[in-house]
Amino acid sequence: MVKRQLAISSDPAKLISPIPMQLDPVRMPDHLAIIMDGNGRWAKKRGLPRVMGHKAGVEALKTTLRLASNWGIGALTVYAFSTENWSRPGEEVNFLMSLFENVLQRELNLLKLEQVKISFIGDLSPLPIRLKGLIKEATEQTSANKGIHFNVCTNYGGRRELVLAAQKLAKRCINGELEPDLIDENAFAAELLTANDVDPDLVIRTSGERRISNFLLWQLAYAEIHITETLWPDFNENALIQALIDYQSRRRRFGGLEAESSKHYEI
Ligand code: IPE
Ligand code: IPE
Ligand code: MG
C-alpha cells in the first residue's frame, strides 16, 4: 500500500497541526464522508441571505480538509450539490455554481502545494462550461499527488450512481465481456464513482438532520454515523475532534461478534 504523504506547506507553523491528544492516531478513519448541511439556516439566524451561508461553509470545508490531511485521514468525501438541489431557486443554484468556480480557481495552488488529490464525483455534464474546465484542470493537475484524496460530490445522487453502474454492467454483458452470474459485489463496486477508495468508515451529518439524502447509498453500508446539531459553517476543529472521539468509541462489528463475546454453545 502506498504510504500517504502528509500535507506540506510554505508556512508549516500555520498549516500543520498535530493529531490532538484526545484522539488515538492508530484508529483514525481511513475515509471520512460529510453531508455538509445547515448553510441556509446559519445565514437565516444572522438575518443574511441563504447564499451567505454557502460562502461561510467554504471556510469550514477548508479547515476540515486541512485537518483531515494533517491527521492522516486517507480520503475525505463531501456532499457539495445533490441531484435534487437543482430544484432550489435559480438564483441560489447560480450562486453555488459561481462559488464552486471561484473557490476552485483560488484554492488550486494550495491544493497542489498540500499534495491534495481532488476528484469530482457525480454527473458533471450539466455544470456550467467554465466550472467543467476548472474541474478538469484541477483533477489533472493534482492526479499524481500523494496526499489526501478529496472527493467533491457535485450533482451527485446515490440512486443515479447505482443506476449508471447497473447500465455499465448490462452493457458489458451484452458485449459478451461479462457473464450475468459473475456479477458480484466487487464487480458492482468497481463500476461506482468511488471505485478507487475504501468505503467510508465514518459519515458526519451537520445541522441535526437524521437522514442520508441520497448520499453514497452503497458505500455507507457499514459506516458509523455521527450527527451533530452544529450548522456546517460553524463546523470547526473542535467539532471534528468530537466526531472522531465519537467514532473511536464505537465497536464496529460488521454483522459479526466481538472476539470476547464469541463463545461456543452446545445446542
Ligand atoms: C447545505 O446547506 C448545502 C447544500 C445543500 C448546497 P443547505 O443549503 O441545505 O442549508 P439548510 O439545510 O437549508 O439550512
Ligand atoms: C444534502 O442536503 C445535500 C448536500 C449537503 C449537498 P439537503 O439540504 O439538500 O438535504 P435535505 O433536503 O435536507 O434532505
Ligand atoms: Mg439542507
PDB file of all heavy atoms in Angstrom, residues 34-39 41 50 78-85 88 100 153 156 205-207 209 211-215, ligand 2:
ATOM      1  N   ILE A  34     -18.773  13.492   4.581  1.00  0.00           N
ATOM      2  CA  ILE A  34     -19.531  14.535   5.285  1.00  0.00           C
ATOM      3  C   ILE A  34     -20.700  15.059   4.452  1.00  0.00           C
ATOM      4  O   ILE A  34     -20.515  15.427   3.279  1.00  0.00           O
ATOM      5  CB  ILE A  34     -18.626  15.740   5.667  1.00  0.00           C
ATOM      6  CG1 ILE A  34     -17.376  15.278   6.436  1.00  0.00           C
ATOM      7  CG2 ILE A  34     -19.421  16.752   6.508  1.00  0.00           C
ATOM      8  CD1 ILE A  34     -16.481  16.417   6.913  1.00  0.00           C
ATOM      9  N   ILE A  35     -21.875  15.081   5.062  1.00  0.00           N
ATOM     10  CA  ILE A  35     -23.030  15.767   4.475  1.00  0.00           C
ATOM     11  C   ILE A  35     -23.034  17.159   5.099  1.00  0.00           C
ATOM     12  O   ILE A  35     -23.389  17.330   6.271  1.00  0.00           O
ATOM     13  CB  ILE A  35     -24.346  15.012   4.762  1.00  0.00           C
ATOM     14  CG1 ILE A  35     -24.259  13.572   4.238  1.00  0.00           C
ATOM     15  CG2 ILE A  35     -25.539  15.756   4.141  1.00  0.00           C
ATOM     16  CD1 ILE A  35     -25.457  12.688   4.599  1.00  0.00           C
ATOM     17  N   MET A  36     -22.570  18.127   4.345  1.00  0.00           N
ATOM     18  CA  MET A  36     -22.373  19.494   4.869  1.00  0.00           C
ATOM     19  C   MET A  36     -23.711  20.219   4.807  1.00  0.00           C
ATOM     20  O   MET A  36     -24.070  20.796   3.788  1.00  0.00           O
ATOM     21  CB  MET A  36     -21.338  20.234   3.999  1.00  0.00           C
ATOM     22  CG  MET A  36     -20.044  19.455   3.774  1.00  0.00           C
ATOM     23  SD  MET A  36     -18.854  20.386   2.784  1.00  0.00           S
ATOM     24  CE  MET A  36     -19.611  20.396   1.169  1.00  0.00           C
ATOM     25  N   ASP A  37     -24.452  20.190   5.892  1.00  0.00           N
ATOM     26  CA  ASP A  37     -25.819  20.727   5.838  1.00  0.00           C
ATOM     27  C   ASP A  37     -26.008  21.854   6.859  1.00  0.00           C
ATOM     28  O   ASP A  37     -25.341  21.890   7.882  1.00  0.00           O
ATOM     29  CB  ASP A  37     -26.811  19.587   6.112  1.00  0.00           C
ATOM     30  CG  ASP A  37     -28.213  19.932   5.638  1.00  0.00           C
ATOM     31  OD1 ASP A  37     -28.373  20.923   4.891  1.00  0.00           O
ATOM     32  OD2 ASP A  37     -29.149  19.213   6.014  1.00  0.00           O
ATOM     33  N   GLY A  38     -26.918  22.762   6.558  1.00  0.00           N
ATOM     34  CA  GLY A  38     -27.281  23.809   7.507  1.00  0.00           C
ATOM     35  C   GLY A  38     -26.796  25.195   7.113  1.00  0.00           C
ATOM     36  O   GLY A  38     -26.904  26.132   7.910  1.00  0.00           O
ATOM     37  N   ASN A  39     -26.293  25.338   5.901  1.00  0.00           N
ATOM     38  CA  ASN A  39     -25.785  26.661   5.474  1.00  0.00           C
ATOM     39  C   ASN A  39     -26.896  27.712   5.472  1.00  0.00           C
ATOM     40  O   ASN A  39     -26.705  28.841   5.921  1.00  0.00           O
ATOM     41  CB  ASN A  39     -25.212  26.580   4.048  1.00  0.00           C
ATOM     42  CG  ASN A  39     -23.981  25.708   3.967  1.00  0.00           C
ATOM     43  OD1 ASN A  39     -23.467  25.279   5.000  1.00  0.00           O
ATOM     44  ND2 ASN A  39     -23.513  25.445   2.760  1.00  0.00           N
ATOM     45  N   ARG A  41     -29.757  27.749   7.138  1.00  0.00           N
ATOM     46  CA  ARG A  41     -30.211  28.088   8.492  1.00  0.00           C
ATOM     47  C   ARG A  41     -29.176  28.962   9.214  1.00  0.00           C
ATOM     48  O   ARG A  41     -29.523  29.852   9.980  1.00  0.00           O
ATOM     49  CB  ARG A  41     -30.482  26.798   9.285  1.00  0.00           C
ATOM     50  CG  ARG A  41     -31.855  26.229   9.022  1.00  0.00           C
ATOM     51  CD  ARG A  41     -31.962  24.801   9.462  1.00  0.00           C
ATOM     52  NE  ARG A  41     -31.320  23.907   8.496  1.00  0.00           N
ATOM     53  CZ  ARG A  41     -31.111  22.613   8.727  1.00  0.00           C
ATOM     54  NH1 ARG A  41     -31.464  22.086   9.886  1.00  0.00           N
ATOM     55  NH2 ARG A  41     -30.551  21.868   7.793  1.00  0.00           N
ATOM     56  N   ARG A  50     -29.566  33.358   2.293  1.00  0.00           N
ATOM     57  CA  ARG A  50     -29.120  31.963   2.396  1.00  0.00           C
ATOM     58  C   ARG A  50     -27.727  31.758   1.803  1.00  0.00           C
ATOM     59  O   ARG A  50     -26.907  31.017   2.342  1.00  0.00           O
ATOM     60  CB  ARG A  50     -30.101  31.045   1.634  1.00  0.00           C
ATOM     61  CG  ARG A  50     -31.409  30.779   2.293  1.00  0.00           C
ATOM     62  CD  ARG A  50     -32.244  29.855   1.396  1.00  0.00           C
ATOM     63  NE  ARG A  50     -31.512  28.640   1.053  1.00  0.00           N
ATOM     64  CZ  ARG A  50     -31.431  27.582   1.857  1.00  0.00           C
ATOM     65  NH1 ARG A  50     -32.053  27.557   3.016  1.00  0.00           N
ATOM     66  NH2 ARG A  50     -30.742  26.520   1.476  1.00  0.00           N
ATOM     67  N   VAL A  78     -17.048  14.824   0.372  1.00  0.00           N
ATOM     68  CA  VAL A  78     -18.056  15.765   0.853  1.00  0.00           C
ATOM     69  C   VAL A  78     -19.193  15.912  -0.165  1.00  0.00           C
ATOM     70  O   VAL A  78     -18.983  15.820  -1.372  1.00  0.00           O
ATOM     71  CB  VAL A  78     -17.440  17.156   1.156  1.00  0.00           C
ATOM     72  CG1 VAL A  78     -16.414  17.060   2.267  1.00  0.00           C
ATOM     73  CG2 VAL A  78     -16.853  17.812  -0.088  1.00  0.00           C
ATOM     74  N   TYR A  79     -20.381  16.142   0.395  1.00  0.00           N
ATOM     75  CA  TYR A  79     -21.575  16.316  -0.436  1.00  0.00           C
ATOM     76  C   TYR A  79     -21.732  17.824  -0.660  1.00  0.00           C
ATOM     77  O   TYR A  79     -22.081  18.572   0.263  1.00  0.00           O
ATOM     78  CB  TYR A  79     -22.770  15.774   0.352  1.00  0.00           C
ATOM     79  CG  TYR A  79     -23.937  15.246  -0.440  1.00  0.00           C
ATOM     80  CD1 TYR A  79     -23.944  15.221  -1.830  1.00  0.00           C
ATOM     81  CD2 TYR A  79     -25.043  14.721   0.228  1.00  0.00           C
ATOM     82  CE1 TYR A  79     -25.030  14.709  -2.525  1.00  0.00           C
ATOM     83  CE2 TYR A  79     -26.133  14.208  -0.463  1.00  0.00           C
ATOM     84  CZ  TYR A  79     -26.119  14.203  -1.831  1.00  0.00           C
ATOM     85  OH  TYR A  79     -27.198  13.680  -2.520  1.00  0.00           O
ATOM     86  N   ALA A  80     -21.457  18.266  -1.874  1.00  0.00           N
ATOM     87  CA  ALA A  80     -21.497  19.704  -2.162  1.00  0.00           C
ATOM     88  C   ALA A  80     -22.791  20.108  -2.869  1.00  0.00           C
ATOM     89  O   ALA A  80     -23.299  21.206  -2.658  1.00  0.00           O
ATOM     90  CB  ALA A  80     -20.300  20.096  -3.023  1.00  0.00           C
ATOM     91  N   PHE A  81     -23.314  19.210  -3.733  1.00  0.00           N
ATOM     92  CA  PHE A  81     -24.518  19.558  -4.500  1.00  0.00           C
ATOM     93  C   PHE A  81     -25.162  18.256  -4.957  1.00  0.00           C
ATOM     94  O   PHE A  81     -24.529  17.444  -5.639  1.00  0.00           O
ATOM     95  CB  PHE A  81     -24.129  20.417  -5.712  1.00  0.00           C
ATOM     96  CG  PHE A  81     -25.290  21.070  -6.401  1.00  0.00           C
ATOM     97  CD1 PHE A  81     -25.772  22.306  -5.969  1.00  0.00           C
ATOM     98  CD2 PHE A  81     -25.921  20.458  -7.483  1.00  0.00           C
ATOM     99  CE1 PHE A  81     -26.859  22.910  -6.601  1.00  0.00           C
ATOM    100  CE2 PHE A  81     -27.005  21.055  -8.121  1.00  0.00           C
ATOM    101  CZ  PHE A  81     -27.464  22.294  -7.678  1.00  0.00           C
ATOM    102  N   SER A  82     -26.416  18.065  -4.578  1.00  0.00           N
ATOM    103  CA  SER A  82     -27.082  16.799  -4.907  1.00  0.00           C
ATOM    104  C   SER A  82     -27.867  16.921  -6.209  1.00  0.00           C
ATOM    105  O   SER A  82     -28.165  18.039  -6.666  1.00  0.00           O
ATOM    106  CB  SER A  82     -28.028  16.396  -3.768  1.00  0.00           C
ATOM    107  OG  SER A  82     -29.196  17.195  -3.802  1.00  0.00           O
ATOM    108  N   THR A  83     -28.243  15.783  -6.769  1.00  0.00           N
ATOM    109  CA  THR A  83     -29.059  15.785  -7.992  1.00  0.00           C
ATOM    110  C   THR A  83     -30.409  16.469  -7.723  1.00  0.00           C
ATOM    111  O   THR A  83     -31.057  16.947  -8.646  1.00  0.00           O
ATOM    112  CB  THR A  83     -29.284  14.346  -8.513  1.00  0.00           C
ATOM    113  OG1 THR A  83     -29.634  13.500  -7.412  1.00  0.00           O
ATOM    114  CG2 THR A  83     -28.058  13.779  -9.182  1.00  0.00           C
ATOM    115  N   GLU A  84     -30.808  16.497  -6.458  1.00  0.00           N
ATOM    116  CA  GLU A  84     -32.083  17.122  -6.085  1.00  0.00           C
ATOM    117  C   GLU A  84     -31.943  18.637  -5.849  1.00  0.00           C
ATOM    118  O   GLU A  84     -32.940  19.353  -5.812  1.00  0.00           O
ATOM    119  CB  GLU A  84     -32.649  16.471  -4.812  1.00  0.00           C
ATOM    120  CG  GLU A  84     -33.138  15.038  -5.008  1.00  0.00           C
ATOM    121  CD  GLU A  84     -32.034  14.023  -5.201  1.00  0.00           C
ATOM    122  OE1 GLU A  84     -30.934  14.211  -4.632  1.00  0.00           O
ATOM    123  OE2 GLU A  84     -32.241  13.060  -5.947  1.00  0.00           O
ATOM    124  N   ASN A  85     -30.712  19.111  -5.656  1.00  0.00           N
ATOM    125  CA  ASN A  85     -30.533  20.539  -5.325  1.00  0.00           C
ATOM    126  C   ASN A  85     -30.847  21.473  -6.507  1.00  0.00           C
ATOM    127  O   ASN A  85     -30.998  22.676  -6.314  1.00  0.00           O
ATOM    128  CB  ASN A  85     -29.120  20.809  -4.792  1.00  0.00           C
ATOM    129  CG  ASN A  85     -28.880  20.294  -3.390  1.00  0.00           C
ATOM    130  OD1 ASN A  85     -27.779  19.888  -3.037  1.00  0.00           O
ATOM    131  ND2 ASN A  85     -29.905  20.288  -2.549  1.00  0.00           N
ATOM    132  N   ARG A  88     -33.859  23.936  -6.258  1.00  0.00           N
ATOM    133  CA  ARG A  88     -33.834  25.199  -5.476  1.00  0.00           C
ATOM    134  C   ARG A  88     -33.993  26.394  -6.421  1.00  0.00           C
ATOM    135  O   ARG A  88     -33.794  26.267  -7.639  1.00  0.00           O
ATOM    136  CB  ARG A  88     -32.508  25.293  -4.731  1.00  0.00           C
ATOM    137  CG  ARG A  88     -32.402  24.175  -3.691  1.00  0.00           C
ATOM    138  CD  ARG A  88     -31.204  24.353  -2.811  1.00  0.00           C
ATOM    139  NE  ARG A  88     -31.183  23.303  -1.807  1.00  0.00           N
ATOM    140  CZ  ARG A  88     -30.518  23.362  -0.678  1.00  0.00           C
ATOM    141  NH1 ARG A  88     -29.782  24.425  -0.406  1.00  0.00           N
ATOM    142  NH2 ARG A  88     -30.551  22.364   0.184  1.00  0.00           N
ATOM    143  N   PHE A 100     -18.458  27.586  -6.572  1.00  0.00           N
ATOM    144  CA  PHE A 100     -17.571  26.445  -6.844  1.00  0.00           C
ATOM    145  C   PHE A 100     -16.428  26.886  -7.772  1.00  0.00           C
ATOM    146  O   PHE A 100     -15.269  26.534  -7.563  1.00  0.00           O
ATOM    147  CB  PHE A 100     -18.336  25.274  -7.490  1.00  0.00           C
ATOM    148  CG  PHE A 100     -19.422  24.667  -6.628  1.00  0.00           C
ATOM    149  CD1 PHE A 100     -20.506  23.999  -7.194  1.00  0.00           C
ATOM    150  CD2 PHE A 100     -19.363  24.753  -5.237  1.00  0.00           C
ATOM    151  CE1 PHE A 100     -21.505  23.434  -6.404  1.00  0.00           C
ATOM    152  CE2 PHE A 100     -20.362  24.196  -4.434  1.00  0.00           C
ATOM    153  CZ  PHE A 100     -21.435  23.535  -5.022  1.00  0.00           C
ATOM    154  N   CYS A 153     -18.595  15.705  -4.118  1.00  0.00           N
ATOM    155  CA  CYS A 153     -19.778  15.167  -4.802  1.00  0.00           C
ATOM    156  C   CYS A 153     -20.600  16.323  -5.349  1.00  0.00           C
ATOM    157  O   CYS A 153     -21.194  17.099  -4.588  1.00  0.00           O
ATOM    158  CB  CYS A 153     -20.601  14.325  -3.833  1.00  0.00           C
ATOM    159  SG  CYS A 153     -19.691  12.887  -3.284  1.00  0.00           S
ATOM    160  N   TYR A 156     -24.405  14.998  -7.528  1.00  0.00           N
ATOM    161  CA  TYR A 156     -24.298  13.598  -7.158  1.00  0.00           C
ATOM    162  C   TYR A 156     -25.610  13.107  -6.568  1.00  0.00           C
ATOM    163  O   TYR A 156     -26.257  13.813  -5.782  1.00  0.00           O
ATOM    164  CB  TYR A 156     -23.174  13.393  -6.120  1.00  0.00           C
ATOM    165  CG  TYR A 156     -23.165  11.988  -5.586  1.00  0.00           C
ATOM    166  CD1 TYR A 156     -22.468  10.986  -6.255  1.00  0.00           C
ATOM    167  CD2 TYR A 156     -23.916  11.637  -4.462  1.00  0.00           C
ATOM    168  CE1 TYR A 156     -22.513   9.681  -5.809  1.00  0.00           C
ATOM    169  CE2 TYR A 156     -23.967  10.338  -4.005  1.00  0.00           C
ATOM    170  CZ  TYR A 156     -23.257   9.362  -4.687  1.00  0.00           C
ATOM    171  OH  TYR A 156     -23.317   8.063  -4.245  1.00  0.00           O
ATOM    172  N   ARG A 205     -23.121  14.076   9.596  1.00  0.00           N
ATOM    173  CA  ARG A 205     -24.111  14.996   9.038  1.00  0.00           C
ATOM    174  C   ARG A 205     -24.281  16.140  10.025  1.00  0.00           C
ATOM    175  O   ARG A 205     -24.553  15.914  11.207  1.00  0.00           O
ATOM    176  CB  ARG A 205     -25.458  14.330   8.762  1.00  0.00           C
ATOM    177  CG  ARG A 205     -26.447  15.354   8.155  1.00  0.00           C
ATOM    178  CD  ARG A 205     -27.533  14.755   7.332  1.00  0.00           C
ATOM    179  NE  ARG A 205     -28.262  15.827   6.627  1.00  0.00           N
ATOM    180  CZ  ARG A 205     -29.045  15.640   5.596  1.00  0.00           C
ATOM    181  NH1 ARG A 205     -29.223  14.441   5.115  1.00  0.00           N
ATOM    182  NH2 ARG A 205     -29.668  16.652   5.032  1.00  0.00           N
ATOM    183  N   THR A 206     -24.134  17.340   9.524  1.00  0.00           N
ATOM    184  CA  THR A 206     -24.301  18.512  10.371  1.00  0.00           C
ATOM    185  C   THR A 206     -25.756  18.990  10.320  1.00  0.00           C
ATOM    186  O   THR A 206     -26.546  18.537   9.498  1.00  0.00           O
ATOM    187  CB  THR A 206     -23.356  19.651   9.925  1.00  0.00           C
ATOM    188  OG1 THR A 206     -23.641  19.975   8.565  1.00  0.00           O
ATOM    189  CG2 THR A 206     -21.903  19.262  10.072  1.00  0.00           C
ATOM    190  N   SER A 207     -26.090  19.893  11.220  1.00  0.00           N
ATOM    191  CA  SER A 207     -27.383  20.585  11.309  1.00  0.00           C
ATOM    192  C   SER A 207     -28.507  19.720  11.883  1.00  0.00           C
ATOM    193  O   SER A 207     -29.667  20.101  11.810  1.00  0.00           O
ATOM    194  CB  SER A 207     -27.812  21.188   9.963  1.00  0.00           C
ATOM    195  OG  SER A 207     -28.465  20.236   9.150  1.00  0.00           O
ATOM    196  N   GLU A 209     -30.005  17.009  11.035  1.00  0.00           N
ATOM    197  CA  GLU A 209     -30.915  16.174  10.227  1.00  0.00           C
ATOM    198  C   GLU A 209     -30.477  14.719  10.335  1.00  0.00           C
ATOM    199  O   GLU A 209     -29.290  14.418  10.338  1.00  0.00           O
ATOM    200  CB  GLU A 209     -30.876  16.597   8.749  1.00  0.00           C
ATOM    201  CG  GLU A 209     -31.209  18.050   8.490  1.00  0.00           C
ATOM    202  CD  GLU A 209     -32.644  18.434   8.837  1.00  0.00           C
ATOM    203  OE1 GLU A 209     -33.432  17.550   9.205  1.00  0.00           O
ATOM    204  OE2 GLU A 209     -32.966  19.634   8.763  1.00  0.00           O
ATOM    205  N   ARG A 211     -30.939  11.985   8.240  1.00  0.00           N
ATOM    206  CA  ARG A 211     -31.204  11.223   7.018  1.00  0.00           C
ATOM    207  C   ARG A 211     -29.970  11.249   6.120  1.00  0.00           C
ATOM    208  O   ARG A 211     -29.058  12.051   6.285  1.00  0.00           O
ATOM    209  CB  ARG A 211     -32.434  11.749   6.276  1.00  0.00           C
ATOM    210  CG  ARG A 211     -32.384  13.240   6.009  1.00  0.00           C
ATOM    211  CD  ARG A 211     -33.624  13.715   5.232  1.00  0.00           C
ATOM    212  NE  ARG A 211     -33.622  15.176   5.167  1.00  0.00           N
ATOM    213  CZ  ARG A 211     -34.300  15.955   6.016  1.00  0.00           C
ATOM    214  NH1 ARG A 211     -35.055  15.439   6.967  1.00  0.00           N
ATOM    215  NH2 ARG A 211     -34.219  17.281   5.904  1.00  0.00           N
ATOM    216  N   ILE A 212     -30.009  10.357   5.123  1.00  0.00           N
ATOM    217  CA  ILE A 212     -28.877  10.160   4.222  1.00  0.00           C
ATOM    218  C   ILE A 212     -28.988  11.057   2.984  1.00  0.00           C
ATOM    219  O   ILE A 212     -27.981  11.371   2.339  1.00  0.00           O
ATOM    220  CB  ILE A 212     -28.805   8.662   3.806  1.00  0.00           C
ATOM    221  CG1 ILE A 212     -28.453   7.785   5.020  1.00  0.00           C
ATOM    222  CG2 ILE A 212     -27.820   8.411   2.682  1.00  0.00           C
ATOM    223  CD1 ILE A 212     -27.071   7.990   5.587  1.00  0.00           C
ATOM    224  N   SER A 213     -30.206  11.449   2.611  1.00  0.00           N
ATOM    225  CA  SER A 213     -30.458  12.345   1.471  1.00  0.00           C
ATOM    226  C   SER A 213     -29.723  11.904   0.198  1.00  0.00           C
ATOM    227  O   SER A 213     -29.067  12.712  -0.464  1.00  0.00           O
ATOM    228  CB  SER A 213     -30.080  13.785   1.838  1.00  0.00           C
ATOM    229  OG  SER A 213     -30.873  14.252   2.900  1.00  0.00           O
ATOM    230  N   ASN A 214     -29.817  10.610  -0.109  1.00  0.00           N
ATOM    231  CA  ASN A 214     -29.309  10.098  -1.403  1.00  0.00           C
ATOM    232  C   ASN A 214     -27.781  10.173  -1.525  1.00  0.00           C
ATOM    233  O   ASN A 214     -27.246  10.278  -2.614  1.00  0.00           O
ATOM    234  CB  ASN A 214     -29.977  10.865  -2.562  1.00  0.00           C
ATOM    235  CG  ASN A 214     -30.039  10.072  -3.854  1.00  0.00           C
ATOM    236  OD1 ASN A 214     -29.766   8.872  -3.864  1.00  0.00           O
ATOM    237  ND2 ASN A 214     -30.371  10.739  -4.952  1.00  0.00           N
ATOM    238  N   PHE A 215     -27.086  10.102  -0.389  1.00  0.00           N
ATOM    239  CA  PHE A 215     -25.619  10.200  -0.386  1.00  0.00           C
ATOM    240  C   PHE A 215     -25.014   8.804  -0.271  1.00  0.00           C
ATOM    241  O   PHE A 215     -25.363   8.045   0.635  1.00  0.00           O
ATOM    242  CB  PHE A 215     -25.198  11.053   0.817  1.00  0.00           C
ATOM    243  CG  PHE A 215     -23.740  11.430   0.878  1.00  0.00           C
ATOM    244  CD1 PHE A 215     -23.062  11.901  -0.236  1.00  0.00           C
ATOM    245  CD2 PHE A 215     -23.041  11.354   2.075  1.00  0.00           C
ATOM    246  CE1 PHE A 215     -21.718  12.282  -0.149  1.00  0.00           C
ATOM    247  CE2 PHE A 215     -21.713  11.738   2.169  1.00  0.00           C
ATOM    248  CZ  PHE A 215     -21.049  12.197   1.053  1.00  0.00           C
TER     249      PHE A 215
HETATM  250  C1  IPE B   2     -27.999  17.254   1.319  1.00  0.00           C
HETATM  251  O1  IPE B   2     -28.550  18.367   1.937  1.00  0.00           O
HETATM  252  C2  IPE B   2     -27.193  17.668   0.110  1.00  0.00           C
HETATM  253  C3  IPE B   2     -25.966  18.412   0.380  1.00  0.00           C
HETATM  254  C4  IPE B   2     -25.465  18.644   1.565  1.00  0.00           C
HETATM  255  C5  IPE B   2     -25.271  18.876  -0.798  1.00  0.00           C
HETATM  256  P1  IPE B   2     -30.028  18.867   1.586  1.00  0.00           P
HETATM  257  O2  IPE B   2     -30.293  20.036   2.443  1.00  0.00           O
HETATM  258  O3  IPE B   2     -30.164  19.053   0.118  1.00  0.00           O
HETATM  259  O4  IPE B   2     -30.908  17.606   2.011  1.00  0.00           O
HETATM  260  P2  IPE B   2     -32.404  17.534   2.550  1.00  0.00           P
HETATM  261  O5  IPE B   2     -33.257  18.305   1.583  1.00  0.00           O
HETATM  262  O6  IPE B   2     -32.410  18.149   3.919  1.00  0.00           O
HETATM  263  O7  IPE B   2     -32.706  16.072   2.599  1.00  0.00           O
END
